[in-house]
Amino acid sequence: MSPKKHPSANNTYETERLILRPMSREDKDFVFELYNRPKFIQHIGNRNVNSIEDAENYILNRFAPQIERLGFGNYILITKDGNEKVGAVGIFEREGLDIVDIGYSLLEEFEGKGYAFEAAQKVKSIGMDDFGLTKISAIISKDNISSQKLIEKLGLRFKKHVILPGETDELNYYETE
């Protein structure tokens, strides 16, 4: 018997300018593009998504199980006005962290428009208001100043430096108060 799918697993959300829908296999081309951008690799890391098939497997093996189990996870960001896929935002269970963490990434051509903050604010409220999370964390590379500012604007505060299992880079760790 397969585990029961969480009732909120297929929920789509909206902000003023964006639609947030759970990442699915149909987003494999977008994930391949996003995860291979130099800025993504620099700030988030190389996820070894080296083909469209890798991207599909990443979605099916990493994103889908969490959202089906918990009801929240990784969402693709689509603009309402142009129906363009611009990035992703989510709340993730992460090895080495006791508290789920919020993460986001945009294609560079859509940065600086406030989309990341708008989406992160929505996902934070989904996690805390809809799912009753009492705390959310964030991990950010030390050189990613714009992301650090966004997380602080979101109400998370720097707590310490961490190194995640299997990693070598020390990251800034933030948490809701």
Side-chain angles (χ1 to χ4, degrees), residues 3 7-8 21 68-69 84 101 113 122 150-151 154:
S8 300
R21 88 163 152 68
E68 288 181 9
R69 192 175 77 253
E84 292 179 284
D101 93 291
K113 300 177 188 306
K122 181 64 177 180
L150 188 155
I151 279 299
L154 209 56

Side-chain angles (χ1 to χ4, degrees), residues 119-148:
Q121 199 171 32
K122 181 64 177 180
V123 163
K124 180 186 174 199
S125 103
I126 291 165
M128 299 186 102
D129 301 339
D130 297 3
F131 289 93
L133 299 175
T134 54
K135 284 187 180 261
I136 292 177
S137 70
I139 45 172
I140 303 171
S141 61
K142 289 180 175 180
D143 63 344
N144 193 347
I145 306 301
S146 62
S147 202
Q148 292 169 25

Side-chain angles (χ1 to χ4, degrees), residues 14-85:
E14 288 188 30
T15 66
E16 185 185 341
R17 301 177 296 159
L18 298 168
I19 295 166
L20 285 68
R21 88 163 152 68
M23 190 76 75
S24 68
R25 70 179 345 139
E26 72 188 59
D27 303 312
K28 61 189 179 202
D29 293 342
F30 179 79
V31 167
F32 175 72
E33 181 182 358
L34 180 65
Y35 281 40
N36 284 289
R37 291 286 180 103
K39 263 182 125 168
F40 185 96
I41 292 168
Q42 176 191 352
H43 292 305
I44 297 173
N46 186 343
R47 298 294 186 244
N48 295 311
V49 175
N50 300 316
S51 67
I52 301 294
E53 186 182 10
D54 287 347
E56 183 174 14
N57 288 332
Y58 200 89
I59 292 165
L60 296 176
N61 298 325
R62 298 285 296 269
F63 299 147
Q66 180 188 309
I67 211 159
E68 288 181 9
R69 192 175 77 253
L70 301 179
F72 59 85
N74 198 22
Y75 300 88
I76 188 152
L77 308 178
I78 304 162
T79 59
K80 286 181 177 178
D81 60 359
N83 199 33
E84 292 179 284
K85 294 178 180 181

